[in-house]
Amino acid sequence: MNNGNEKISGSEALIRALIQEGVDTIFGYPGGAIMPVYDALFDHLDKIRHILVRHEQGATHAAEGYARASGKTGVCMVTGGPGATNTLTGIADAMLDSTPIVVLAGQIATEFIGTDAFQEVDFTCVTQPICKWSYQISSPEEITWAVARAFFIARSGRPGPVVLSIAKNAQVGLTAYVPQKVNYIRSYDDDPEIDMSRIEEAAAAINSAKKPFVLAGQGIELGNAQDEFRAFVEKGDLPFGCTLLGLSVLPSSHPLNMGMLGMHGNYCNNVKTNECDVLVAVGMRFDDRVTGNLETYARQAKVIHLDIDPAEIGKNVPVDIPVLGNCRKTLALLTERLSRADRSEWKDSFEAYRREEYEKVIRKELYPGSGPLNMGEVVNAVSEAVGHNAILVTDVGQNQMMAARYFKFTSMRSILTSGGMGTMGYCIPAAVGACVARPDRTVCAFTGDGGLQMTVQEFGTIMEQKLPVKLILLNNSYLGNVRQWQQLFFNRRYAFTHLENPDFQMVASAYGIPSRRVTERPGLKDAIREMLETDGPFLLEACVAEEGNVMPMTPPGQSIDNMLMEC
Amino acid sequence: MEDTVLYTIIVHSENFSGILNQIAAVFTRLQVNIESLNVSASSMKNVHKFTISCKTTPKNMDKILGQINKKMDVINASCYTDDEIFQSEIAMFKISTDEFKNSDDTSRLLRGYNTHIVEVTPDFIVVELAGSSEAINSLYRELTRIGCAVKQFVRSGKVAVTASPLEKVSDLLAKRAERYKDRLQ
Ligand SMILES: Cc1ncc(C[n+]2csc(CCOP(=O)(O)OP(=O)(O)O)c2C)c(N)n1
Ligand SMILES: [Mg+2]
């Protein structure tokens, strides 16, 4: 379209480079230091949809939600200074949860950098410790290279956030458009060499195991290795538990899927972790919410760890057989070498613990008969109403743990939650991203009364974009998760955890979002039906037991199998 | 608390701005002090070399290396204990010329340590000692002990070569390029 000599602005080059990377959606918020790019974007709205958020933190979580639901890289665009610093929480969140996003931030012209000019923040320096790569573009010639490099880094290897700060002079300066492709960086080993002797060792260990147990992490989804994982566990007849972020790697109903791991996970999994003879961790990082006390974690087991990030192997848990590499490849190599097994006896041994948890916790949570609504029963009723086939988005706190425990999945990329950071306020903007990414799927977003108020401004985005988010507010009038800890570990001293809340229905109606409040059991099913039948967004406020607790629970610092069943 | 060990870390990186800051931040995060730091060009064009020494626990060292290696523009980082490397640093001592001339003890001491004179002016002389940290410490201590007033004293960061054959960065990069050659076409 242009001969090589035509000069275009850096901003125009930036937009063309984004289009070349396959970007079709940007979540953003304009401001002085990014205006030339917004102006260039205005000519390309046939190719790129821009979603105007209401706060830059919202843009980052929306980009995260978009990335997690679609498998593509999420993009957000903000101005410099405060617009840029507002993205920090989302960048750190994406880093801990390995979510590929690219943050494009405006920056003042290079000649003013270092003078404390209006809205000057050393954003590259501030973001370097919390992202995969952060770079300041200082001239228009660098733009296509930096964009290509940013997208390659964000999505390859262990994915993560990348930040590009674009100096004003690079936005307005003229340059020839020279398209760039980056698929190799010599200092970056994104697809580590597989050590075949480790594959042989691991296969032999699994083949001779009597009681093998598998831990499934989000790495399986990030590596697009669902099929390989399924073949692996099925051939070896290997029961597995999932991390919070790994919950949708295989359907919840898969006979080998034993549910969630960790502090509020399924009891059988934590018991079996400390009983198995071989523990195979796939694309997970032994977070302390999964392991509990490391001194007593899986000490009896031979540990095999499959991961693409060498820094994860042996970081928390000593590993006997490290299997470095892309799990899509390593799982396939392992499966070839597995002997078909039938481990009925071992699998059946999970049953007693499942039954114990069902009797002591699940039955009461889901089918209480009388008293106020429970969070778990609301989650379960919604999950059933959507045939366990929706995308789940959660906020953080009790609502998150209850949703993770009782929402069920049938397809991959179906759980969007802030795992590593535990960022309250993640839910609403992440649901925006999910709705934009997957208009073909139902998006059920569970939030708490605390978390909703942290990013409630994104109701405006939902309204403007007419996004069909099914938002379920589990209102307990408390910062429930913290209150639960106060009850259990601080003598019921409820310091600043009770919330004086607004009328959430009025808030929703101010944004034109239809809503309904349920306080009693008989109305629940009908309210859910109304929510799902309504075109567009809907807020279902479920007023739940104020002092409900998430059980079972491993108290902090305790051995992971030492779970409280009631309190 | 685990015992701390004195480590020397050798890092090769691209020659981009801001890498020192990123590497330093890894130490800040773990609250580990850098004892000595040397940054210079390496034998390979556009590749920079950092030699960093610090005292920390083996466990922290694993984290430090993991995090440094993760930095996008770091090519590789590895660590060594004292028995695995030969190391050297340089110190310069500025001493008054009168003192040097008039004190036999001072000149004898300086000769004994294999120092060499870098500069002589009517006011002061500058002597240089290249060697181990211990030799430098010891010379400084002895000069103080015999009452020699050292007007200025500086020492460089340590540099080190490994006792075992260290894979050259150029070879490492060549091997990596070979592994990814399908993409490079
Ligand atoms: C931004 C942020 N601030 C504080 C916390 C600490 N925190 C974790 S859970 C929680 C309570 C959340 O309350 P609510 O949103 O009502 O959810 P509930 O636990 O009641 O379901 C708090 C304050 C956090 N995780 N994130
Ligand atoms: Mg609450």
Side-chain angles (χ1 to χ4, degrees):
Chain A
M1 74 185 131
N2 60 316
N3 60 35
N5 302 327
E6 188 208 352
K7 296 260 178 173
I8 57 172
S9 72
S11 299
E12 175 66 22
L14 175 67
I15 300 296
R16 288 192 197 173
L18 293 174
I19 293 170
Q20 196 197 306
E21 288 297 330
V23 174
D24 55 17
T25 308
I26 295 177
F27 302 92
Y29 207 92
I34 194 78
M35 282 179 65
V37 180
Y38 266 87
D39 192 61
L41 175 63
F42 217 44
D43 290 332
H44 295 276
L45 296 180
D46 55 330
K47 296 236 170 55
I48 297 183
R49 175 177 180 189
H50 178 272
I51 310 276
L52 178 67
V53 294
R54 298 300 190 265
H55 185 291
E56 291 87 351
Q57 182 187 349
T60 55
H61 296 323
E64 287 186 277
Y66 177 91
R68 291 262 280 275
S70 69
K72 297 197 282 186
T73 300
V75 182
C76 45
M77 187 154 90
V78 299
T79 187
T85 55
N86 273 347
T87 65
L88 290 173
T89 304
I91 295 169
D93 193 277
M95 185 69 171
L96 277 175
D97 283 349
S98 311
T99 307
I101 62 170
V102 171
V103 176
L104 307 164
Q107 177 60 287
I108 59 169
T110 46
E111 67 171 308
F112 298 115
I113 288 179
T115 65
D116 301 325
F118 181 61
Q119 297 193 330
E120 179 182 357
V121 171
D122 186 353
F123 198 55
T124 305
C125 195
V126 169
T127 49
Q128 263 168 352
I130 55 166
C131 72
K132 206 171 159 188
W133 186 53
S134 184
Y135 185 75
Q136 180 179 301
I137 300 174
S138 303
S139 70
E141 289 72 30
E142 290 177 280
I143 286 176
T144 52
W145 167 80
V147 169
R149 202 173 196 257
F151 278 82
F152 173 62
I153 290 170
R155 67 172 175 256
S156 60
R158 178 179 178 175
V162 171
V163 176
L164 293 178
S165 299
I166 310 145
K168 194 84 176 263
N169 49 299
Q171 300 174 31
V172 297
L174 295 181
T175 177
Y177 182 66
V178 186
Q180 299 269 345
K181 183 91 207 127
V182 171
N183 61 7
Y184 174 71
I185 295 173
R186 68 176 187 173
S187 59
Y188 170 45
D189 195 8
D190 61 289
D191 187 8
E193 192 166 17
I194 295 166
D195 180 345
M196 288 308 293
S197 65
R198 294 304 198 183
I199 299 277
E200 301 293 348
E201 257 183 88
I206 299 168
N207 284 335
S208 61
K210 297 269 175 301
K211 301 188 284 182
F213 186 48
V214 176
L215 313 176
Q218 190 201 195
I220 297 166
E221 282 191 355
L222 292 172
N224 264 322
Q226 290 80 3
D227 293 343
E228 289 75 9
F229 182 71
R230 181 195 286 270
F232 170 70
V233 290
E234 287 181 355
K235 186 168 181 194
D237 202 18
L238 305 165
F240 66 93
C242 306
T243 66
L244 175 63
L245 296 185
L247 277 172
S248 65
V249 296
L250 285 186
S252 313
S253 60
H254 191 285
L256 292 165
N257 190 342
M258 300 296 167
M260 191 165 69
L261 300 166
M263 178 180 267
H264 291 297
N266 292 112
Y267 184 40
C268 60
N269 289 334
N270 294 339
V271 170
K272 294 299 169 181
T273 298
N274 279 0
E275 196 184 305
C276 62
D277 54 1
V278 172
L279 188 69
V280 191
V282 188
M284 56 84 73
R285 61 191 181 89
F286 293 105
D287 179 73
D288 53 271
R289 287 295 192 265
V290 161
T291 64
N293 190 334
L294 284 171
E295 301 293 315
T296 58
Y297 182 80
R299 280 300 155 116
Q300 80 296 338
K302 183 175 267 188
V303 177
I304 303 173
H305 193 177
L306 281 66
D307 209 287
I308 198 165
D309 180 357
E312 287 302 341
I313 293 181
K315 185 182 77 176
N316 294 334
V317 170
V319 172
D320 299 287
I321 309 177
V323 183
L324 184 66
N326 181 328
C327 67
R328 186 165 185 184
K329 298 180 185 172
T330 53
L331 280 170
L333 289 166
L334 266 179
T335 308
E336 277 172 29
R337 290 162 178 77
L338 285 196
S339 15
R340 264 195 196 282
D342 174 2
R343 304 187 196 270
S344 304
E345 203 180 318
W346 164 238
K347 285 186 301 183
D348 290 346
S349 73
F350 284 64
E351 194 47 40
Y353 301 95
R354 293 173 77 130
R355 202 167 318 121
E356 182 177 348
E357 183 182 343
Y358 186 82
E359 291 305 328
K360 291 188 174 159
V361 179
I362 301 174
R363 184 203 294 281
K364 291 183 205 162
E365 183 66 33
L366 300 191
Y367 312 106
S370 63
L373 283 170
N374 287 334
M375 281 193 185
E377 73 177 309
V378 178
V379 172
N380 182 55
V382 173
S383 186
E384 280 179 354
V386 294
H388 311 302
N389 198 19
I391 292 180
L392 169 70
V393 188
T394 82
D395 207 74
V396 167
Q398 293 184 317
N399 61 86
Q400 174 184 39
M401 289 298 115
M402 287 296 194
R405 284 180 57 79
Y406 298 113
F407 206 83
K408 300 287 174 259
F409 306 96
T410 48
S411 54
M412 60 187 252
R413 297 194 187 287
S414 292
I415 175 157
L416 279 52
T417 188
S418 169
M421 270 270 281
T423 306
M424 278 174 73
Y426 174 89
C427 177
I428 299 173
V432 165
C435 281
V436 172
R438 296 301 303 265
D440 55 321
R441 296 192 63 188
T442 304
V443 175
C444 294
F446 288 86
T447 183
D449 43 321
L452 179 144
Q453 294 180 74
M454 285 209 174
T455 45
V456 66
Q457 75 285 346
E458 300 309 331
F459 275 12
T461 313
I462 292 172
M463 169 182 69
E464 182 179 343
Q465 302 291 336
K466 305 186 175 54
L467 299 171
V469 189
K470 306 303 170 191
L471 186 63
I472 302 103
L473 165 61
L474 299 172
N475 187 355
N476 54 7
S477 300
Y478 272 107
L479 300 173
N481 206 73
V482 181
R483 188 211 52 74
Q484 175 171 345
W485 283 50
Q486 288 171 332
Q487 175 184 343
L488 293 173
F489 314 119
F490 291 88
N491 270 325
R492 290 182 179 265
R493 287 157 55 87
Y494 292 169
F496 305 103
T497 44
H498 188 264
L499 288 175
E500 174 84 34
N501 280 323
D503 181 330
F504 290 109
Q505 285 196 278
M506 281 176 71
V507 175
S509 83
Y511 287 95
I513 298 175
S515 65
R516 179 156 161 186
R517 178 182 293 138
V518 274
T519 48
E520 268 147 37
R521 195 149 291 113
L524 178 62
K525 287 240 160 70
D526 190 59
I528 293 172
R529 186 197 48 74
E530 185 186 346
M531 169 176 81
L532 294 174
E533 280 175 3
T534 303
D535 270 345
F538 194 93
L539 173 72
L540 173 62
E541 177 184 8
C543 298
V544 297
E546 294 206 344
E547 298 191 28
N549 288 317
V550 186
M551 288 289 143
M553 175 183 195
T554 309
Q558 298 279 312
S559 180
I560 195 66
D561 52 352
N562 189 3
M563 296 189 92
L564 298 175
M565 289 288 156
E566 51 213 330
C567 60
Chain B
M1 253 319 251
E2 250 184 306
D3 285 343
T4 61
V5 181
L6 179 63
Y7 288 103
T8 301
I9 306 164
I10 298 178
V11 183
H12 290 99
S13 80
E14 299 292 355
N15 184 15
F16 293 162
S17 70
I19 296 187
L20 173 59
N21 193 28
Q22 294 185 60
I23 292 175
V26 170
F27 290 85
T28 312
R29 179 172 173 194
L30 288 161
Q31 302 233 297
V32 172
N33 281 346
I34 291 175
E35 304 277 332
S36 147
L37 168 68
N38 182 280
V39 189
S40 61
S42 76
S43 55
M44 201 177 158
K45 194 164 171 265
N46 291 331
V47 172
H48 253 52
K49 179 169 179 161
F50 298 69
T51 310
I52 306 165
S53 61
C54 69
K55 284 199 190 90
T56 189
T57 60
K59 212 167 162 179
N60 262 351
M61 197 64 236
D62 285 346
K63 292 186 200 159
I64 290 172
L65 284 182
Q67 289 168 24
I68 295 179
N69 271 314
K70 230 183 233 209
K71 298 293 168 194
M72 196 45 59
D73 298 309
V74 164
I75 296 167
N76 68 340
S78 38
C79 79
Y80 304 89
T81 49
D82 277 354
D83 52 334
E84 297 168 318
I85 47 174
F86 301 105
Q87 42 188 322
S88 185
E89 58 182 269
I90 293 175
M92 293 165 89
F93 300 77
K94 187 164 126 186
I95 295 166
S96 97
T97 308
D98 282 350
E99 170 132 15
F100 182 68
K101 278 196 190 137
N102 300 335
S103 159
D104 285 351
D105 285 353
T106 303
S107 49
R108 203 175 306 121
L109 193 58
L110 292 174
R111 273 198 303 278
Y113 270 87
N114 260 327
T115 56
H116 81 267
I117 295 177
V118 186
E119 185 66 65
V120 182
T121 74
D123 285 347
F124 60 83
I125 66 159
V126 178
V127 293
E128 183 184 276
L129 172 61
S132 66
S133 311
E134 291 73 33
I136 291 167
N137 290 345
S138 153
L139 173 57
Y140 186 82
R141 251 196 330 267
E142 289 201 42
L143 283 169
T144 320
R145 189 177 52 80
I146 62 171
C148 168
V150 178
K151 287 162 163 293
Q152 266 183 42
F153 170 64
V154 285
R155 59 203 297 173
S156 68
K158 276 198 302 203
V159 289
V161 293
T162 60
S164 62
L166 172 72
E167 184 177 34
K168 280 168 63 188
V169 221
S170 50
D171 293 346
L172 182 151
L173 290 173
K175 269 194 207 158
R176 194 172 282 174
E178 175 62 24
R179 271 209 290 126
Y180 286 97
K181 66 173 185 298
D182 295 348
R183 292 199 204 162
L184 287 165
Q185 278 155 9

mmCIF file of all heavy atoms in Angstrom, chain A residues 49-72:
data_model
loop_
_atom_site.group_PDB
_atom_site.id
_atom_site.type_symbol
_atom_site.label_atom_id
_atom_site.label_comp_id
_atom_site.label_asym_id
_atom_site.label_seq_id
_atom_site.Cartn_x
_atom_site.Cartn_y
_atom_site.Cartn_z
ATOM 1 N N ARG A 49 -11.172 -3.019 17.533
ATOM 2 C CA ARG A 49 -12.256 -2.539 18.381
ATOM 3 C C ARG A 49 -11.629 -1.975 19.650
ATOM 4 O O ARG A 49 -10.847 -2.658 20.320
ATOM 5 C CB ARG A 49 -13.163 -3.728 18.717
ATOM 6 C CG ARG A 49 -14.273 -3.388 19.693
ATOM 7 C CD ARG A 49 -15.155 -4.622 19.902
ATOM 8 N NE ARG A 49 -16.234 -4.340 20.837
ATOM 9 C CZ ARG A 49 -17.033 -5.279 21.326
ATOM 10 N NH1 ARG A 49 -16.877 -6.546 20.974
ATOM 11 N NH2 ARG A 49 -17.994 -4.951 22.175
ATOM 12 N N HIS A 50 -11.962 -0.731 19.954
ATOM 13 C CA HIS A 50 -11.443 -0.141 21.193
ATOM 14 C C HIS A 50 -12.540 -0.114 22.234
ATOM 15 O O HIS A 50 -13.634 0.406 22.000
ATOM 16 C CB HIS A 50 -10.925 1.285 20.950
ATOM 17 C CG HIS A 50 -10.423 1.930 22.203
ATOM 18 N ND1 HIS A 50 -11.240 2.630 23.060
ATOM 19 C CD2 HIS A 50 -9.195 1.937 22.773
ATOM 20 C CE1 HIS A 50 -10.516 3.040 24.102
ATOM 21 N NE2 HIS A 50 -9.278 2.641 23.943
ATOM 22 N N ILE A 51 -12.254 -0.688 23.396
ATOM 23 C CA ILE A 51 -13.223 -0.691 24.480
ATOM 24 C C ILE A 51 -12.763 0.352 25.497
ATOM 25 O O ILE A 51 -11.708 0.202 26.123
ATOM 26 C CB ILE A 51 -13.270 -2.075 25.176
ATOM 27 C CG1 ILE A 51 -13.413 -3.210 24.163
ATOM 28 C CG2 ILE A 51 -14.333 -2.101 26.271
ATOM 29 C CD1 ILE A 51 -14.784 -3.510 23.714
ATOM 30 N N LEU A 52 -13.547 1.378 25.636
ATOM 31 C CA LEU A 52 -13.219 2.427 26.602
ATOM 32 C C LEU A 52 -13.624 1.963 27.999
ATOM 33 O O LEU A 52 -14.808 1.798 28.286
ATOM 34 C CB LEU A 52 -13.957 3.720 26.254
ATOM 35 C CG LEU A 52 -13.726 4.879 27.223
ATOM 36 C CD1 LEU A 52 -12.288 5.363 27.175
ATOM 37 C CD2 LEU A 52 -14.690 6.023 26.937
ATOM 38 N N VAL A 53 -12.633 1.734 28.839
ATOM 39 C CA VAL A 53 -12.921 1.323 30.222
ATOM 40 C C VAL A 53 -13.155 2.578 31.053
ATOM 41 O O VAL A 53 -13.151 3.695 30.539
ATOM 42 C CB VAL A 53 -11.765 0.481 30.798
ATOM 43 C CG1 VAL A 53 -11.633 -0.835 30.057
ATOM 44 C CG2 VAL A 53 -10.454 1.274 30.758
ATOM 45 N N ARG A 54 -13.345 2.397 32.358
ATOM 46 C CA ARG A 54 -13.594 3.567 33.204
ATOM 47 C C ARG A 54 -12.456 3.816 34.191
ATOM 48 O O ARG A 54 -12.476 4.743 34.966
ATOM 49 C CB ARG A 54 -14.917 3.396 33.957
ATOM 50 C CG ARG A 54 -16.129 3.298 33.020
ATOM 51 C CD ARG A 54 -16.283 4.551 32.159
ATOM 52 N NE ARG A 54 -17.546 4.586 31.424
ATOM 53 C CZ ARG A 54 -17.692 4.161 30.166
ATOM 54 N NH1 ARG A 54 -16.658 3.683 29.488
ATOM 55 N NH2 ARG A 54 -18.877 4.239 29.578
ATOM 56 N N HIS A 55 -11.458 2.955 34.175
ATOM 57 C CA HIS A 55 -10.286 3.115 35.034
ATOM 58 C C HIS A 55 -9.206 2.222 34.424
ATOM 59 O O HIS A 55 -9.516 1.125 33.961
ATOM 60 C CB HIS A 55 -10.623 2.664 36.468
ATOM 61 C CG HIS A 55 -9.535 2.900 37.479
ATOM 62 N ND1 HIS A 55 -8.341 2.207 37.480
ATOM 63 C CD2 HIS A 55 -9.463 3.742 38.535
ATOM 64 C CE1 HIS A 55 -7.584 2.629 38.501
ATOM 65 N NE2 HIS A 55 -8.252 3.569 39.142
ATOM 66 N N GLU A 56 -7.958 2.683 34.439
ATOM 67 C CA GLU A 56 -6.911 1.912 33.768
ATOM 68 C C GLU A 56 -6.671 0.541 34.400
ATOM 69 O O GLU A 56 -6.256 -0.395 33.730
ATOM 70 C CB GLU A 56 -5.603 2.705 33.718
ATOM 71 C CG GLU A 56 -5.660 3.929 32.797
ATOM 72 C CD GLU A 56 -6.199 5.178 33.490
ATOM 73 O OE1 GLU A 56 -6.693 5.087 34.636
ATOM 74 O OE2 GLU A 56 -6.127 6.260 32.875
ATOM 75 N N GLN A 57 -6.914 0.420 35.703
ATOM 76 C CA GLN A 57 -6.793 -0.923 36.296
ATOM 77 C C GLN A 57 -7.776 -1.865 35.613
ATOM 78 O O GLN A 57 -7.469 -3.029 35.342
ATOM 79 C CB GLN A 57 -7.069 -0.893 37.812
ATOM 80 C CG GLN A 57 -6.889 -2.267 38.458
ATOM 81 C CD GLN A 57 -7.310 -2.320 39.919
ATOM 82 O OE1 GLN A 57 -7.551 -1.289 40.553
ATOM 83 N NE2 GLN A 57 -7.407 -3.516 40.453
ATOM 84 N N GLY A 58 -8.962 -1.317 35.325
ATOM 85 C CA GLY A 58 -9.970 -2.102 34.619
ATOM 86 C C GLY A 58 -9.468 -2.555 33.254
ATOM 87 O O GLY A 58 -9.737 -3.673 32.818
ATOM 88 N N ALA A 59 -8.713 -1.680 32.586
ATOM 89 C CA ALA A 59 -8.191 -2.051 31.258
ATOM 90 C C ALA A 59 -7.262 -3.257 31.363
ATOM 91 O O ALA A 59 -7.312 -4.173 30.542
ATOM 92 C CB ALA A 59 -7.447 -0.869 30.629
ATOM 93 N N THR A 60 -6.442 -3.267 32.412
ATOM 94 C CA THR A 60 -5.499 -4.393 32.520
ATOM 95 C C THR A 60 -6.229 -5.687 32.855
ATOM 96 O O THR A 60 -5.937 -6.731 32.260
ATOM 97 C CB THR A 60 -4.429 -4.125 33.601
ATOM 98 O OG1 THR A 60 -5.076 -3.817 34.845
ATOM 99 C CG2 THR A 60 -3.530 -2.976 33.206
ATOM 100 N N HIS A 61 -7.185 -5.632 33.785
ATOM 101 C CA HIS A 61 -7.902 -6.876 34.103
ATOM 102 C C HIS A 61 -8.762 -7.331 32.924
ATOM 103 O O HIS A 61 -8.924 -8.530 32.703
ATOM 104 C CB HIS A 61 -8.786 -6.696 35.341
ATOM 105 C CG HIS A 61 -8.007 -6.413 36.593
ATOM 106 N ND1 HIS A 61 -6.787 -6.999 36.856
ATOM 107 C CD2 HIS A 61 -8.270 -5.606 37.654
ATOM 108 C CE1 HIS A 61 -6.340 -6.564 38.035
ATOM 109 N NE2 HIS A 61 -7.218 -5.709 38.527
ATOM 110 N N ALA A 62 -9.317 -6.362 32.186
ATOM 111 C CA ALA A 62 -10.100 -6.747 31.006
ATOM 112 C C ALA A 62 -9.187 -7.437 29.993
ATOM 113 O O ALA A 62 -9.560 -8.458 29.403
ATOM 114 C CB ALA A 62 -10.765 -5.514 30.390
ATOM 115 N N ALA A 63 -7.985 -6.892 29.828
ATOM 116 C CA ALA A 63 -7.037 -7.525 28.905
ATOM 117 C C ALA A 63 -6.659 -8.917 29.402
ATOM 118 O O ALA A 63 -6.526 -9.862 28.621
ATOM 119 C CB ALA A 63 -5.784 -6.656 28.750
ATOM 120 N N GLU A 64 -6.537 -9.053 30.720
ATOM 121 C CA GLU A 64 -6.245 -10.379 31.285
ATOM 122 C C GLU A 64 -7.397 -11.342 31.026
ATOM 123 O O GLU A 64 -7.182 -12.495 30.643
ATOM 124 C CB GLU A 64 -6.047 -10.286 32.803
ATOM 125 C CG GLU A 64 -4.769 -9.651 33.258
ATOM 126 C CD GLU A 64 -4.657 -9.764 34.778
ATOM 127 O OE1 GLU A 64 -5.242 -8.932 35.502
ATOM 128 O OE2 GLU A 64 -4.006 -10.709 35.244
ATOM 129 N N GLY A 65 -8.614 -10.878 31.273
ATOM 130 C CA GLY A 65 -9.783 -11.732 31.068
ATOM 131 C C GLY A 65 -9.887 -12.145 29.603
ATOM 132 O O GLY A 65 -10.155 -13.299 29.283
ATOM 133 N N TYR A 66 -9.626 -11.169 28.740
ATOM 134 C CA TYR A 66 -9.663 -11.427 27.302
ATOM 135 C C TYR A 66 -8.632 -12.499 26.938
ATOM 136 O O TYR A 66 -8.916 -13.448 26.204
ATOM 137 C CB TYR A 66 -9.366 -10.116 26.565
ATOM 138 C CG TYR A 66 -9.297 -10.220 25.067
ATOM 139 C CD1 TYR A 66 -10.432 -10.028 24.287
ATOM 140 C CD2 TYR A 66 -8.094 -10.504 24.429
ATOM 141 C CE1 TYR A 66 -10.372 -10.119 22.912
ATOM 142 C CE2 TYR A 66 -8.024 -10.593 23.045
ATOM 143 C CZ TYR A 66 -9.164 -10.401 22.291
ATOM 144 O OH TYR A 66 -9.106 -10.495 20.924
ATOM 145 N N ALA A 67 -7.427 -12.336 27.484
ATOM 146 C CA ALA A 67 -6.344 -13.275 27.159
ATOM 147 C C ALA A 67 -6.670 -14.677 27.663
ATOM 148 O O ALA A 67 -6.512 -15.663 26.938
ATOM 149 C CB ALA A 67 -5.030 -12.788 27.774
ATOM 150 N N ARG A 68 -7.155 -14.751 28.880
ATOM 151 C CA ARG A 68 -7.395 -16.071 29.461
ATOM 152 C C ARG A 68 -8.555 -16.774 28.763
ATOM 153 O O ARG A 68 -8.531 -17.992 28.567
ATOM 154 C CB ARG A 68 -7.690 -15.939 30.956
ATOM 155 C CG ARG A 68 -6.487 -15.507 31.769
ATOM 156 C CD ARG A 68 -5.794 -16.687 32.413
ATOM 157 N NE ARG A 68 -6.498 -17.094 33.600
ATOM 158 C CZ ARG A 68 -6.323 -16.549 34.802
ATOM 159 N NH1 ARG A 68 -5.440 -15.601 34.970
ATOM 160 N NH2 ARG A 68 -7.000 -16.969 35.826
ATOM 161 N N ALA A 69 -9.581 -16.021 28.381
ATOM 162 C CA ALA A 69 -10.744 -16.647 27.755
ATOM 163 C C ALA A 69 -10.473 -17.017 26.302
ATOM 164 O O ALA A 69 -11.048 -17.963 25.784
ATOM 165 C CB ALA A 69 -11.952 -15.718 27.844
ATOM 166 N N SER A 70 -9.588 -16.261 25.633
ATOM 167 C CA SER A 70 -9.409 -16.478 24.199
ATOM 168 C C SER A 70 -8.134 -17.241 23.860
ATOM 169 O O SER A 70 -8.016 -17.809 22.775
ATOM 170 C CB SER A 70 -9.350 -15.121 23.474
ATOM 171 O OG SER A 70 -8.142 -14.449 23.835
ATOM 172 N N GLY A 71 -7.154 -17.216 24.757
ATOM 173 C CA GLY A 71 -5.867 -17.809 24.416
ATOM 174 C C GLY A 71 -4.989 -16.869 23.601
ATOM 175 O O GLY A 71 -3.885 -17.224 23.205
ATOM 176 N N LYS A 72 -5.483 -15.663 23.349
ATOM 177 C CA LYS A 72 -4.673 -14.680 22.618
ATOM 178 C C LYS A 72 -4.019 -13.711 23.617
ATOM 179 O O LYS A 72 -4.198 -13.840 24.818
ATOM 180 C CB LYS A 72 -5.564 -13.899 21.641
ATOM 181 C CG LYS A 72 -6.166 -14.805 20.564
ATOM 182 C CD LYS A 72 -6.701 -14.014 19.381
ATOM 183 C CE LYS A 72 -8.044 -13.362 19.663
ATOM 184 N NZ LYS A 72 -8.648 -12.711 18.498
#
